[in-house]
Amino acid sequence: MIYHRINDWSDAYTNGANIAGGSAWPEKWVAPAKNYRDSMLAAGQAELGLRYGDRARNIYDLFLPKDKPRGLVVFVHGGYWQSLDNSYWSHLAQGSVAHGFAVAMPTYTLCPEVHITDIVAEVGQAIAAVAQRFEGPIHLTGHSAGGHLVSRMISATSPLPAEVRARIANTISISGVHDLRPLMRTSLNERLRITPEEAQRESVVLLEPGPNTRLFCWVGGNERNEFLRQNDLLANIWTGLGAETAAYAEPDKHHFNVPDGLIDPDHPMTRTLLMAR
């Protein structure tokens, strides 16, 4: 019988140092994201720096199809709740825009200025604000910390107004961290400052899904074992609580290139995200 135990929790949740060439990210995203923003601005299909709240980082970028949008996609960025902003991922809007959807990408205040609980509230505020602008279904997706945040939006204690929550068709958590308790054992918690009480309140694996939840947990097959475990964990638990769920590890993908599926309108990730209910 072989037992498994984690001795170095910080290493278990470290991505770049455990990926060949991992130091190229996040810088590797900058040029394609800027090129996409510039091209969409030139075409009159982008609105940047729109405000949804009072804090400095309470802004979102919006990318629009040529015709009236069929609905709304919201992508929430990662960075372990403590770094980066929406500008690194603009190019991930391409697949959904090609299918006729508006795509909003919000930024939020980072830890340690605020707590994860505050970020959850801000993301809910952002989604509610942009939802007022568009009719039709809402599809949510996010990467890493963003995967946690979009999953949190469809939990039973979602901060979203009921009428907005009712419009959410599909949610894809990409490499999501769904249980915050292990992070309390990492060096990340010097900035995240997660307490046991906050971990209980904000870990989606400890919450029930909201009504009519459809959640797809998607991870790179070459990711750290903890990300593979966290991916399967939420889908497993929420299946037992009445949600419609699936979990998938995409072969030959790691933490930083697995979200690239959203660039391609024909990639299974994009098609899963936009699937009709």
Side-chain angles (χ1 to χ4, degrees):
M1 186 66 68
I2 299 175
Y3 291 92
H4 177 68
R5 179 175 182 173
I6 297 172
N7 294 311
D8 188 339
W9 287 93
S10 293
D11 181 67
Y13 282 90
T14 295
N15 290 297
N18 289 292
I19 297 170
S23 61
W25 284 273
E27 189 65 26
K28 196 170 182 176
W29 290 317
V30 172
K34 182 179 185 301
N35 290 340
Y36 184 70
R37 284 196 306 278
D38 290 347
S39 67
M40 291 296 279
L41 275 172
Q45 292 176 246
E47 301 176 22
L48 306 182
L50 302 172
R51 184 151 294 283
Y52 69 83
D54 296 331
R55 288 179 170 146
R57 290 173 60 95
N58 289 171
I59 57 174
Y60 67 94
D61 291 345
L62 186 65
F63 302 100
L64 300 163
K66 292 181 180 179
D67 299 320
K68 181 180 178 180
R70 298 170 52 195
L72 173 66
V73 169
V74 180
F75 175 88
V76 180
H77 72 82
Y80 269 134
W81 305 272
Q82 54 143 3
S83 66
L84 307 180
D85 59 45
N86 60 350
S87 68
Y88 289 85
W89 288 274
S90 306
H91 55 301
L92 299 187
Q94 291 178 72
S96 296
V97 169
H99 281 284
F101 285 81
V103 178
M105 294 189 167
T107 288
Y108 45 82
T109 310
L110 300 175
C111 300
E113 182 179 346
V114 297
H115 287 273
I116 290 175
T117 297
D118 303 304
I119 296 173
V120 168
E122 288 188 7
V123 170
Q125 187 179 6
I127 294 170
V130 71
Q132 295 179 8
R133 297 189 53 175
F134 301 99
E135 300 176 346
I138 300 172
H139 305 276
L140 304 181
T141 187
H143 176 236
S144 197
H148 160 267
L149 292 166
V150 295
S151 302
R152 184 67 179 79
M153 296 300 111
I154 56 173
S155 68
T157 54
S158 170
L160 293 175
E163 63 274 15
V164 175
R165 173 63 183 84
R167 291 172 56 192
I168 297 175
N170 303 313
T171 299
I172 297 184
S173 173
I174 307 170
S175 306
V177 181
H178 306 124
D179 187 350
L180 303 181
R181 292 171 296 178
L183 297 181
M184 295 171 62
R185 304 182 178 203
T186 72
S187 59
L188 289 164
N189 210 40
E190 294 174 10
R191 292 179 61 83
L192 300 181
R193 299 176 298 152
I194 302 168
T195 63
E197 293 76 18
E198 183 174 48
Q200 289 287 327
R201 184 172 61 246
E202 303 299 345
S203 295
V204 284
V205 298
L206 301 178
L207 305 175
E208 294 202 7
N212 301 314
T213 287
R214 178 192 274 175
L215 172 69
F216 203 116
C217 297
W218 197 300
V219 71
N222 293 342
E223 297 210 39
R224 306 291 286 156
N225 285 336
E226 272 297 274
F227 283 86
L228 294 168
R229 185 185 69 83
Q230 290 253 6
N231 192 69
D232 290 346
L233 183 63
L234 180 58
N236 188 325
I237 290 175
W238 275 16
T239 297
L241 296 174
E244 183 179 356
T245 74
Y248 176 60
E250 186 173 356
D252 301 320
K253 294 292 186 180
H254 57 65
H255 189 76
F256 297 128
N257 64 11
V258 66
D260 289 351
L262 293 173
I263 298 171
D264 182 358
D266 293 321
H267 192 281
M269 181 182 287
T270 303
R271 292 195 172 276
T272 299
L273 176 63
L274 302 180
M275 187 183 302
R277 294 291 299 253

